[in-house]
Amino acid sequence: MERLLNPAGAEVALPLAVIWTSRPEGEQITARQEQAARQIVVRLTGTAGAPVLSQDGLAMTAVIGAEPDGGAARLAAVAKAAASVGGTSVHLAGPAAAQADLDAAFSQTDGTLLALALGGVLLILLAVYRSVIMPLLVIVSSLLALAVACAVLYALARTDWLSIDGQTQGIVFVLVVGASTDYALLARRW
């Protein structure tokens, strides 16, 4: 999808909104806090930029670019720098923050997803084959197919033919194990 929107294939920075809210709640952002935020934006972006103050003066926002491959480490660095504005709370929003949240969520579920897929497949195969050896052979062949699929995806991603994120791995786990099981069940009918 990135290549369609960006045919040159160049890395495009995702927008990251840094939001400062007054602390304690209900107090106005001061000129000193606004100046400190301005200095942080300049330090993070390398260009002169000013945070935008809300109409009620209780919050200010600055939009900066976050590299797609920077991930959670880049966001943590931005949050740490932004937190140095005294008397404010910092929140991150926008596409870069959402992408980092999705990557973190899917990275924690991959092992669980694979275990559930293999457990479900094992139960189905035990019921169909009424044997222990045949389901284990199917599971081993599924894991071998999964290893080959991951190696191919890694090679394609490394050569920039394909863009891979945290969601891809979970989807590949389920698809490869499911397809292997389907072929094993189809082979049983013959």
Coordinates of all heavy atoms in Angstrom, one line a residue, residues 68-69 71-72 98-114 146 150 153 157 162-174:
P68 N 8.7 5.8 10.2 CA 7.9 4.6 10.3 C 8.7 3.5 11.0 O 8.1 2.6 11.7 CB 7.6 4.2 8.8 CG 7.9 5.4 8.0 CD 8.8 6.3 8.8
D69 N 10.0 3.4 10.8 CA 10.8 2.3 11.5 C 11.3 2.7 12.8 O 12.0 1.9 13.5 CB 12.0 1.9 10.6 CG 12.9 3.1 10.3 OD1 12.6 4.2 10.6 OD2 14.0 2.8 9.7
G71 N 9.4 3.3 15.5 CA 8.6 2.6 16.5 C 8.5 3.1 17.9 O 8.5 4.4 18.1
A72 N 8.4 2.3 18.8 CA 8.1 2.6 20.2 C 9.3 3.4 20.8 O 9.1 4.3 21.7 CB 7.8 1.4 21.0
A98 N -0.7 5.5 16.8 CA -1.6 4.4 16.6 C -0.9 3.2 16.0 O -1.1 2.0 16.4 CB -2.7 4.8 15.6
Q99 N 0.1 3.4 15.1 CA 0.9 2.3 14.5 C 1.7 1.7 15.6 O 1.8 0.4 15.6 CB 1.8 2.8 13.4 CG 2.5 1.7 12.7 CD 1.6 0.7 12.0 OE1 0.7 1.1 11.3 NE2 1.9 -0.5 12.2
A100 N 2.3 2.4 16.5 CA 3.1 1.9 17.6 C 2.3 1.0 18.5 O 2.7 0.0 18.9 CB 3.8 3.0 18.3
D101 N 1.0 1.5 18.8 CA 0.1 0.7 19.6 C -0.3 -0.6 19.0 O -0.3 -1.6 19.6 CB -1.1 1.5 20.0 CG -0.9 2.7 20.9 OD1 0.2 2.6 21.6 OD2 -1.7 3.6 21.1
L102 N -0.6 -0.6 17.7 CA -0.9 -1.8 16.9 C 0.2 -2.8 16.9 O 0.0 -4.0 17.1 CB -1.3 -1.5 15.5 CG -2.7 -0.9 15.3 CD1 -3.0 -0.5 13.9 CD2 -3.8 -2.0 15.7
D103 N 1.4 -2.3 16.7 CA 2.6 -3.1 16.6 C 2.8 -3.8 18.0 O 3.1 -5.0 18.1 CB 3.9 -2.4 16.2 CG 3.9 -2.0 14.8 OD1 3.0 -2.5 14.0 OD2 4.7 -1.1 14.4
A104 N 2.7 -3.0 19.1 CA 2.9 -3.6 20.4 C 1.8 -4.6 20.7 O 2.1 -5.6 21.3 CB 2.8 -2.4 21.4
A105 N 0.5 -4.3 20.3 CA -0.6 -5.2 20.6 C -0.4 -6.6 19.9 O -0.5 -7.6 20.5 CB -1.9 -4.6 20.2
F106 N 0.0 -6.5 18.6 CA 0.2 -7.7 17.9 C 1.4 -8.5 18.2 O 1.5 -9.7 18.1 CB 0.1 -7.4 16.3 CG -1.3 -7.3 15.8 CD1 -1.9 -6.1 15.6 CD2 -2.0 -8.5 15.5 CE1 -3.2 -6.0 15.2 CE2 -3.3 -8.4 15.1 CZ -3.9 -7.2 14.9
S107 N 2.5 -7.8 18.7 CA 3.7 -8.5 19.0 C 3.5 -9.3 20.3 O 4.1 -10.3 20.5 CB 4.8 -7.5 19.3 OG 4.6 -6.7 20.4
Q108 N 2.5 -8.9 21.1 CA 2.3 -9.7 22.4 C 1.3 -10.9 22.1 O 1.2 -11.8 22.9 CB 1.7 -8.8 23.4 CG 2.7 -7.7 23.9 CD 2.0 -6.7 24.8 OE1 0.8 -6.7 25.0 NE2 2.8 -5.7 25.2
T109 N 0.6 -10.9 21.0 CA -0.4 -11.9 20.8 C 0.1 -13.0 19.9 O -0.5 -14.0 19.8 CB -1.6 -11.3 20.2 OG1 -1.3 -10.7 18.9 CG2 -2.3 -10.3 21.1
D110 N 1.3 -12.8 19.2 CA 1.7 -13.8 18.2 C 1.9 -15.2 18.8 O 1.5 -16.2 18.3 CB 3.0 -13.4 17.6 CG 2.8 -12.2 16.6 OD1 1.6 -12.1 16.2 OD2 3.7 -11.5 16.2
G111 N 2.6 -15.3 20.0 CA 2.8 -16.6 20.6 C 1.5 -17.3 21.0 O 1.3 -18.5 20.8
T112 N 0.6 -16.5 21.6 CA -0.7 -17.0 22.0 C -1.5 -17.5 20.8 O -2.1 -18.5 20.8 CB -1.5 -15.9 22.8 OG1 -0.6 -15.4 23.9 CG2 -2.8 -16.4 23.3
L113 N -1.4 -16.6 19.8 CA -2.2 -17.0 18.5 C -1.7 -18.3 17.9 O -2.5 -19.1 17.6 CB -2.1 -15.8 17.5 CG -2.9 -15.9 16.3 CD1 -4.4 -15.9 16.7 CD2 -2.7 -14.7 15.4
L114 N -0.4 -18.4 17.9 CA 0.2 -19.7 17.3 C -0.2 -20.9 18.2 O -0.6 -21.9 17.7 CB 1.7 -19.5 17.2 CG 2.4 -20.8 16.6 CD1 1.9 -21.1 15.2 CD2 3.9 -20.5 16.6
L146 N 5.5 -23.1 8.0 CA 5.5 -21.8 8.7 C 6.9 -21.2 8.7 O 7.1 -20.1 8.4 CB 4.9 -21.9 10.1 CG 4.9 -20.6 10.9 CD1 4.0 -19.6 10.2 CD2 4.4 -20.8 12.3
C150 N 7.9 -17.8 6.7 CA 8.5 -16.7 7.4 C 9.8 -16.3 6.7 O 10.2 -15.1 6.6 CB 8.7 -17.0 8.9 SG 7.1 -17.0 9.8
L153 N 9.0 -14.5 3.5 CA 8.5 -13.1 3.8 C 9.7 -12.2 4.3 O 9.8 -11.0 3.9 CB 7.5 -13.1 4.9 CG 6.1 -13.7 4.5 CD1 5.2 -13.8 5.7 CD2 5.5 -12.7 3.4
A157 N 10.8 -8.8 2.5 CA 10.9 -7.6 3.2 C 12.2 -7.0 3.2 O 12.4 -5.7 3.1 CB 10.4 -7.8 4.6
L162 N 8.2 -6.0 -0.2 CA 7.0 -6.2 0.7 C 7.2 -5.5 2.0 O 8.3 -5.4 2.5 CB 6.9 -7.7 0.9 CG 5.6 -8.2 1.5 CD1 4.4 -8.0 0.6 CD2 5.7 -9.7 1.7
S163 N 6.2 -4.8 2.4 CA 6.2 -4.2 3.7 C 5.5 -5.0 4.8 O 4.4 -5.5 4.6 CB 5.5 -2.8 3.6 OG 5.4 -2.2 4.8
I164 N 6.2 -5.3 5.9 CA 5.7 -6.2 6.9 C 5.6 -5.5 8.2 O 6.5 -4.7 8.6 CB 6.6 -7.5 7.0 CG1 6.6 -8.3 5.7 CG2 6.2 -8.3 8.2 CD1 7.4 -9.5 5.7
D165 N 4.5 -5.7 8.9 CA 4.3 -5.1 10.2 C 3.9 -6.2 11.2 O 3.9 -7.4 10.9 CB 3.3 -4.0 10.2 CG 1.9 -4.4 9.8 OD1 1.7 -5.6 9.6 OD2 1.1 -3.5 9.6
G166 N 3.5 -5.9 12.4 CA 3.2 -6.8 13.4 C 2.0 -7.7 13.1 O 1.8 -8.8 13.6
Q167 N 1.1 -7.1 12.3 CA -0.1 -7.9 11.9 C 0.1 -9.0 11.0 O -0.5 -10.1 11.0 CB -1.2 -6.9 11.3 CG -1.6 -5.8 12.2 CD -2.4 -4.8 11.5 OE1 -2.9 -5.0 10.4 NE2 -2.5 -3.6 12.1
T168 N 1.1 -8.8 10.1 CA 1.5 -9.8 9.1 C 1.8 -11.2 9.7 O 1.4 -12.2 9.3 CB 2.6 -9.3 8.2 OG1 2.3 -8.0 7.7 CG2 2.9 -10.3 7.1
Q169 N 2.6 -11.1 10.8 CA 3.1 -12.3 11.4 C 1.9 -13.2 12.0 O 1.9 -14.4 11.7 CB 4.1 -12.0 12.5 CG 4.8 -13.2 13.0 CD 5.9 -12.9 14.0 OE1 6.2 -11.7 14.2 NE2 6.5 -13.9 14.6
G170 N 1.0 -12.5 12.6 CA -0.1 -13.2 13.2 C -1.0 -13.8 12.1 O -1.5 -15.0 12.3
I171 N -1.2 -13.1 11.1 CA -2.0 -13.6 10.0 C -1.4 -14.8 9.3 O -2.0 -15.8 9.0 CB -2.3 -12.4 9.0 CG1 -3.2 -11.4 9.6 CG2 -3.0 -13.0 7.7 CD1 -3.4 -10.1 8.9
V172 N -0.1 -14.7 9.1 CA 0.7 -15.8 8.4 C 0.6 -17.0 9.3 O 0.4 -18.1 8.7 CB 2.1 -15.4 8.1 CG1 3.0 -16.6 7.7 CG2 2.1 -14.3 7.0
F173 N 0.7 -16.9 10.6 CA 0.7 -18.1 11.5 C -0.6 -18.8 11.2 O -0.6 -20.0 11.0 CB 0.7 -17.6 12.9 CG 2.1 -17.3 13.4 CD1 2.2 -16.7 14.7 CD2 3.2 -17.5 12.7 CE1 3.4 -16.4 15.2 CE2 4.5 -17.1 13.2 CZ 4.6 -16.6 14.4
V174 N -1.7 -18.1 11.3 CA -3.0 -18.8 11.2 C -3.3 -19.3 9.8 O -3.8 -20.5 9.6 CB -4.2 -17.8 11.6 CG1 -5.5 -18.4 11.3 CG2 -4.0 -17.4 13.1

